[in-house]
Amino acid sequence: MASAGIVGSTGLVGAHILSLLVAQPSVSSVLSLARRTPSTDSASKLNAVVDADTSKWAGHLSAAKPPVQIFFSGLGTTKGQAGSFEAQRKIDYDLNVELATAAKQAGATVYVLISSSATSLDSAFAYSRMKAEIEEAVKALGFEHTVLVKPGMIVGSRAESRPAEAVVRGIARGMGAISCGYLKDFWAQDADVIAKAAVSAGLRCLDGKAPEGKVWSLEGADIMRLGKTEWKNE
């Protein structure tokens, strides 16, 4: 039985991850860190820590009982929501790395990050460079297994308004509907499928069933395989 932790559990993919974790027979406890109460139905195995002061989250994680063995991050925001790229970076990069470090120090052996397909340290786009920097930082922490989930466009209904994304998501849904997914799945994946791939890969790592190597990177085809074709409750 595994003890899991998650940050970003009120986001589009993170909310699905949280729901999946509390439903997994192989997961005994789930710690969630968030500024607002997650929407997942109450479960005896869920310890939902709601604290508006994100500077305290690492402390909550370090003090978790039982200690977290596998930690998931779906944490992220936008420049528009944060107010500036510098403020966005404090959440996307600084807080993610701080929590990953706390998880490692607390004894977690598996770390799963919801990242993006468009990441590069050499990118002309600051966002893509930042996402790549996060990946490099968490890999450097030396978890036994680091899973980087790198979807394309994430399809699903967000609680907050992102008009431009909504238009593209609508196009993706339409293309998927007329092609049984063929014209969508290679560049856009449903949030619940991404979450299932993340949970499946993470638990496989914990069970010693991961591919050889410390870092497992999942992109479109792997996300669809683990989150849809081969998905089952672990």
Side-chain angles (χ1 to χ4, degrees):
M1 299 288 280
S3 55
I6 179 172
V7 65
S9 58
T10 59
L12 182 53
V13 176
H16 285 289
I17 292 176
L18 180 59
S19 295
L20 292 167
L21 289 174
V22 298
Q24 296 302 303
S26 61
V27 176
S28 59
S29 63
V30 182
L31 169 74
S32 72
L33 302 168
R35 283 178 288 195
R36 62 182 188 272
T37 303
S39 58
T40 301
D41 292 337
S42 178
S44 60
K45 67 172 70 173
L46 174 62
N47 176 16
V49 175
V50 179
D51 193 332
D53 186 352
T54 60
S55 69
K56 296 180 180 178
W57 287 4
H60 292 308
L61 179 55
S62 299
K65 299 295 181 184
V68 168
Q69 297 171 289
I70 178 171
F71 190 71
F72 294 82
S73 177
L75 179 66
T77 187
T78 65
K79 179 180 176 181
Q81 288 176 309
S84 67
F85 180 74
E86 290 72 20
Q88 180 187 14
R89 185 179 175 88
K90 288 183 181 298
I91 296 173
D92 281 35
Y93 182 88
D94 294 351
L95 187 54
N96 259 316
V97 175
E98 179 185 8
L99 292 172
T101 302
K104 179 66 165 59
Q105 293 175 344
T109 59
V110 179
Y111 179 84
V112 183
L113 174 69
I114 305 301
S115 186
S116 170
S117 61
T119 64
S120 172
L121 293 173
D122 300 319
S123 175
F125 299 99
Y127 178 79
S128 295
R129 291 198 305 273
M130 177 181 67
K131 299 297 278 189
E133 288 168 3
I134 298 168
E135 293 176 359
E136 293 302 314
V138 298
K139 287 192 292 185
L141 291 173
F143 287 94
E144 290 183 16
H145 296 283
T146 299
V147 180
L148 304 176
V149 185
K150 298 165 69 68
M153 169 60 66
I154 301 174
V155 181
S157 299
R158 293 188 182 274
E160 74 277 8
S161 175
R162 296 188 187 180
E165 280 192 16
V167 172
V168 180
R169 288 198 301 271
I171 294 171
R173 289 193 189 98
M175 292 176 70
I178 65 175
S179 65
C180 296
Y182 177 76
L183 295 177
K184 173 178 75 70
D185 292 344
F186 71 95
W187 66 277
Q189 294 83 43
D190 292 317
D192 65 317
V193 172
I194 297 166
K196 288 173 181 177
V199 170
S200 178
L203 293 180
R204 289 186 189 197
C205 287
L206 206 58
D207 290 341
K209 300 176 182 177
E212 187 175 348
K214 283 195 160 191
V215 179
W216 188 4
S217 183
L218 304 179
E219 299 202 33
D222 286 326
I223 291 171
M224 295 307 300
R225 176 175 58 83
L226 290 176
K228 190 172 184 178
T229 308
E230 298 179 2
W231 168 255
K232 64 178 180 179
N233 282 340
E234 301 292 332

